[in-house]
Amino acid sequence: MLKRIVNFFDTKTLTSKPLVVDANTYGINPASMSKDAIKVVRTLQKAGYEAYIVGGSVRDLLLGIHPKDFDVATDAQPAEVKSLFRRSRIIGRRFQIVHVQLSRELIEVTTFRSNEQSNGTTVASRSTQMQQNESGMLTRDNVFGSINEDAQRRDLTVNALYYNPTDNTIHDFTNGLEDIQNRIIRMIGVPDARYREDPVRILRVIRFTAKLGFKIEPSTAKPIAKLANNLSHVSPPRLFDETLKLFMSGKGSVTLSLLRNYSVFGALIPQADRLMNNGKSNAKQLIEQAFINTDLRISSNQRVTPAFIYAALLWPEVERLSNQLQEKGNSATYALSKAASEAISRQIVITAIPKRFTIPMREIWDLQLQLPRRGGQRAKRLLEHSRFRAAYDFILLREQAGEDLNGMGEWWTQYQESDEEQKQAMSDAAGKISGKKRPRRNSRKKKVIED
Ligand code: ATP
Ligand code: MG
């Protein structure tokens, strides 16, 4: 503990020295890194700047994980970086970075930044470069600083390691190496202030905990539940992107339980969280199963779409609203459409799901009403529907989650595997059954799928 406190204050001073280690000790050498990232570092160094490979790629290589992308940090300012690379452009306003394209890969180059406000020392002359709103959130963050300051403004100790390919060294300002060894997720600085500055850091803590299978250090974990509602200050498009990183990471199940255990899920998808908590419907089973299935698909390199996962997340609420509307005498089709609009409009003010996903979500839901009707030429036509496959997977998901759909999933599985003649026989038989058993249109208490 004492060591931690000493280190904490030590790393706050600009003169403190990082721990510099030979990367060979960790089995890392320039050949482990992307050639393009190394070229970017060398070009910057040759021009007289400091430059390092930093962030997730160093962390992942230390853990034997294949890095997703490579980030470079430098003391060159964005315009100076841009002038060194032909195919490069400055992007972002809140946080300017330079995208450099050499061959195939895009390398993100960030200039060392300072984060003085979270240390409690606001520098007036810098206020136009760095802005905070009433809740302590950083709305602009372009104050350049030293490498040490840059390490302090990063989120997690494990994300603040700097690799220099020229002498094959790792520079550690925040005890990140030790935390990697002990498998600990620790926020740099004062967690409460760091979450207030950027509530997305809450999601990053959860995401990396799930991805790496680490433990969250107690003082990093403590403020999360209290500050989760600050996520409402984050712009809905950014929050939508962050939910995709959480849900489609291949570790969706672990992520979901972490989000729920730390009381964060309700700030992201409140309509799902409420029903998962009240235990009245099978919302919990359905949503948990959706994440299990998504993880399995990712691990077997099958395609996953945000539309499917969001369709599952909102389905219990859509069903609930739809049932309510039917009880008031509306048709199943009308009720479902109204319920879908309602659930989507409540969600998109939190996470801005683009239309290219809400449209297929509605189609998947709509097909839940169509797939039970298989008589005549219907089954054949449904099979040709562009969203059939997702809707069929959704039927299977509902059955896996414990819903009794009269063997509908199995019927469609068989139908798809049958030849033309068998298909016709199946449709004819289904037509007779549904002809006989079809319930009255506005009968009370019926379920959506029975119409
Ligand atoms: P991955 O790319 O594997 O998801 P990463 O750690 O590289 O993980 P990026 O989002 O690419 O994550 O960010 C690069 C680096 O920038 C991080 O490692 C971290 O040091 C820093 N960073 C990113 N987002 C934040 C944030 N919200 N607050 C502070 N630092 C951040
Ligand atoms: Mg990255």
Side-chain angles (χ1 to χ4, degrees), residues 383 415-416 418-428:
L383 201 56
Y415 185 82
Q416 291 173 81
S418 299
D419 61 25
E420 287 310 313
E421 210 176 303
Q422 288 166 324
K423 277 193 173 119
Q424 195 53 56
M426 284 181 79
S427 286
D428 291 346

Side-chain angles (χ1 to χ4, degrees), residues 186-395:
R186 185 192 309 271
M187 184 61 68
I188 296 168
V190 181
D192 193 287
R194 303 303 312 282
Y195 294 134
R196 285 180 199 275
E197 277 172 4
D198 182 2
V200 164
R201 289 177 187 146
I202 293 174
L203 304 182
R204 292 179 59 89
V205 164
I206 305 274
R207 177 153 69 88
F208 293 115
T209 302
K211 167 174 167 150
L212 307 173
F214 282 18
K215 289 257 170 315
I216 310 178
E217 177 272 326
S219 74
T220 299
K222 195 161 175 262
I224 291 181
K226 181 186 76 184
L227 295 178
N229 281 335
N230 281 21
L231 284 164
S232 66
H233 306 317
V234 178
S235 82
R238 184 175 179 215
L239 215 48
F240 173 74
D241 288 346
E242 292 298 327
T243 60
L244 294 197
K245 292 184 201 166
L246 289 163
F247 301 156
M248 325 261 298
S249 62
K251 301 272 182 199
S253 287
V254 185
T255 304
L256 177 67
S257 52
L258 286 167
L259 287 172
R260 300 220 338 118
N261 292 345
Y262 286 96
S263 312
V264 179
F265 193 59
L268 294 177
I269 324 280
Q271 300 180 91
D273 193 56
R274 219 172 296 126
L275 292 178
M276 286 175 90
N277 289 339
N278 79 11
K280 275 192 212 143
S281 70
N282 71 338
K284 190 163 180 293
Q285 290 93 307
L286 184 100
I287 290 167
E288 283 175 353
Q289 192 63 49
F291 280 85
I292 293 172
N293 296 359
T294 303
D295 288 350
L296 280 172
R297 288 181 74 94
I298 292 171
S299 72
S300 56
N301 286 322
Q302 283 175 279
R303 215 176 64 86
V304 289
T305 160
F308 191 89
I309 198 86
Y310 263 101
L313 285 164
L314 297 185
W315 173 251
E317 178 66 2
V318 168
E319 224 186 0
R320 191 185 71 82
L321 293 172
S322 172
N323 286 342
Q324 265 180 9
L325 287 164
Q326 285 183 76
E327 275 165 26
K328 289 187 187 142
N330 296 292
S331 76
T333 312
Y334 176 83
L336 183 71
S337 165
K338 269 275 185 212
S341 303
E342 179 69 30
I344 288 175
S345 62
R346 286 188 206 150
Q347 183 59 42
I348 56 175
V349 293
I350 308 170
T351 61
I353 315 170
K355 278 239 164 59
R356 69 177 184 281
F357 299 129
T358 56
I359 292 167
M361 281 162 68
R362 295 184 73 113
E363 286 175 326
I364 292 171
W365 292 334
D366 186 49
L367 282 165
Q368 300 308 293
L369 287 188
Q370 312 287 335
L371 290 187
R373 304 179 191 163
R374 290 155 274 174
Q377 295 305 302
R378 277 209 176 113
K380 208 170 151 205
R381 276 205 302 272
L382 284 167
L383 201 56
E384 282 157 15
H385 193 292
S386 63
R387 218 58 68 187
F388 170 82
R389 187 69 212 187
Y392 159 70
D393 284 340
F394 206 84
I395 293 278

Side-chain angles (χ1 to χ4, degrees), residues 54-57 59-60 68-69 71 94 108 153-156 159-160 194 198 200-201 204 207-208 211 238 245:
V54 67
S57 52
R59 173 200 69 218
D60 287 352
K68 193 163 66 71
D69 49 35
D71 302 302
R94 177 182 169 274
E108 279 193 3
R153 67 91 192 165
R154 289 182 182 270
D155 53 354
L156 310 174
N159 285 348
R194 303 303 312 282
D198 182 2
V200 164
R201 289 177 187 146
R204 292 179 59 89
R207 177 153 69 88
F208 293 115
K211 167 174 167 150
R238 184 175 179 215
K245 292 184 201 166

Side-chain angles (χ1 to χ4, degrees), residues 154-171:
R154 289 182 182 270
D155 53 354
L156 310 174
T157 59
V158 297
N159 285 348
L161 295 165
Y162 295 72
Y163 172 73
N164 182 353
T166 307
D167 60 4
N168 203 41
T169 51
I170 296 171
H171 300 237

